[in-house]
Amino acid sequence: MDQLNYHHLRYFREVAHEGHLTRTADRVNLSQSALSSQIRKLEERLGHPLFDRVGRQLVLTEVGRIVLDHADQIFGTGEELVATLQRTGAASPPFRVGALSTLSRNFQLNFLRPVLQAQNVEIILKSGGASVLFEALKSLALDVVLTTEPPPGAFGSDFTAHRIAEQTVGLHGTAHRLRHDTLRDLLEHEPLIVPTDSSIRTGFESLIARLGVTPRIAADVDDMAMVRLLAREDMGLAIAPSVVLADEIASGLIETATFDLDIVESFYAVTVRRNFPHPVLADLLRK
């Protein structure tokens, strides 16, 4: 089929919604014959009649209803595009969020809660490795990336890492595992659930070196959701920010050791310089 003439499609849409040729012609400032000609050309191009005449009214055929559905979507999308660029209109484009696959689900939920409560923005959430997410952000396929590390310099200077939270890292587990008088005793006698390749792991390695202990690692895990699950199942003490096990701590299932590990994890929302950032982003970064 030859290229569709969208002028013809727009005039058809106007007549379809009005249901009357003469009134539509007056409104769009065309003669009735010119408007009829536009619709006839569209019918010829599509190979189907779009209207049946019933008295003075024009009634859509089955094909006409199909064409009207598509026309409404086409011109509705165009109106949303203009509204987005002019920052007008109530509708917002989807908010595309990338999150490091090891990042706490509770933290992600807390960050996105204002958008979820607003219920007027579709959220598209993609998890993965840092390099994949930063490449997607750079190509504008994502609006923001949530991570525990700022992007390395190799990704260029267009990125901005907003530190939006900082959490003290502790030891969390069932009460019977926390009955030790010193941090050294606890680390020497209890199995530990430790995240891999993160600022937490770096801090943990520094801690055991300072104390001169050789801990028993029950699990080396690259997913905070699995750290949480293993702690719930009493497989050992989890080394993590409290936000990871917030529900279990609140319910009393899991407790936190009183010892200070002197480890802190920072959370970042990384953005890229763009002329039309998503409208919800500024409020999320200010909270």
Side-chain angles (χ1 to χ4, degrees):
M1 185 175 69
D2 294 337
Q3 184 177 2
L4 188 65
N5 188 311
Y6 288 93
H7 289 295
H8 297 165
L9 188 64
R10 183 174 73 85
Y11 288 131
F12 157 75
R13 181 178 180 238
E14 297 288 342
V15 173
H17 282 297
E18 183 72 49
H20 197 282
L21 193 65
T22 303
R23 287 199 298 268
T24 306
D26 291 340
R27 185 158 53 81
V28 300
N29 199 28
L30 276 180
S31 68
Q32 184 174 331
S33 60
L35 187 58
S36 294
S37 175
Q38 301 287 316
I39 294 172
R40 238 184 350 263
K41 289 178 180 177
L42 179 63
E43 290 176 326
E44 291 170 0
R45 185 61 54 86
L46 296 175
H48 296 276
L50 302 176
F51 292 105
D52 287 326
R53 185 174 289 278
V54 179
R56 295 185 177 182
Q57 293 287 92
L58 293 176
V59 178
L60 287 168
T61 64
E62 181 182 354
V63 171
R65 291 187 181 280
I66 294 171
V67 174
L68 180 60
D69 286 342
H70 285 276
D72 283 340
Q73 292 180 37
I74 289 168
F75 291 106
T77 300
E79 289 162 6
E80 288 179 11
L81 170 61
V82 173
T84 297
L85 297 180
Q86 294 179 347
R87 301 183 185 276
T88 62
S92 293
F95 184 45
R96 295 178 169 85
V97 181
L100 203 63
S101 57
T102 57
L103 199 64
S104 161
R105 295 340 186 229
N106 283 339
F107 169 74
Q108 295 177 46
L109 178 61
N110 288 339
F111 178 79
L112 295 171
R113 196 179 303 279
V115 182
L116 293 169
Q117 290 174 339
Q119 296 183 343
N120 61 348
V121 179
E122 177 189 0
I123 297 175
I124 298 174
L125 186 59
K126 177 182 176 63
S127 63
S131 59
V132 173
L133 295 177
F134 289 141
E135 285 294 344
L137 182 62
K138 188 175 183 179
S139 67
L140 307 185
L142 294 173
D143 294 299
V144 64
V145 169
L146 304 178
T147 178
T148 55
E149 299 283 349
F155 282 96
S157 59
D158 285 341
F159 288 147
T160 301
H162 310 265
R163 189 164 67 177
I164 55 177
E166 193 173 77
Q167 290 271 333
T168 300
V169 175
L171 280 161
H172 313 279
T174 52
H176 75 95
R177 293 194 182 279
L178 301 177
R179 295 170 184 161
H180 295 273
D181 293 331
T182 68
L183 176 58
R184 180 189 300 273
D185 286 343
L186 187 149
L187 292 174
E188 284 183 334
H189 293 97
E190 295 296 339
L192 302 177
I193 304 162
V194 188
T196 59
D197 299 328
S198 68
S199 58
I200 297 177
R201 185 55 179 261
T202 302
F204 170 71
E205 297 289 353
S206 176
L207 172 66
I208 60 175
R210 290 198 308 273
L211 295 177
V213 299
T214 302
R216 178 158 58 96
I217 306 298
D220 218 326
V221 186
D222 65 357
D223 183 352
M224 280 298 181
M226 183 56 72
V227 169
R228 176 185 181 185
L229 178 61
L230 292 175
R232 283 174 57 100
E233 295 298 314
D234 197 25
M235 300 302 294
L237 296 176
I239 299 179
S242 58
V243 68
V244 174
L245 298 117
D247 295 339
E248 289 77 10
I249 293 171
S251 69
L253 180 64
I254 294 291
E255 296 183 10
T256 302
T258 58
F259 306 114
D260 183 6
L261 305 186
D262 196 25
I263 303 173
V264 173
E265 183 168 53
S266 297
F267 296 90
Y268 296 90
V270 181
T271 59
V272 68
R273 188 180 300 121
R274 56 197 301 177
N275 293 324
F276 300 97
H278 196 283
V280 305
L281 190 54
D283 287 339
L284 289 176
L285 296 177
R286 278 198 297 265
K287 69 169 187 167

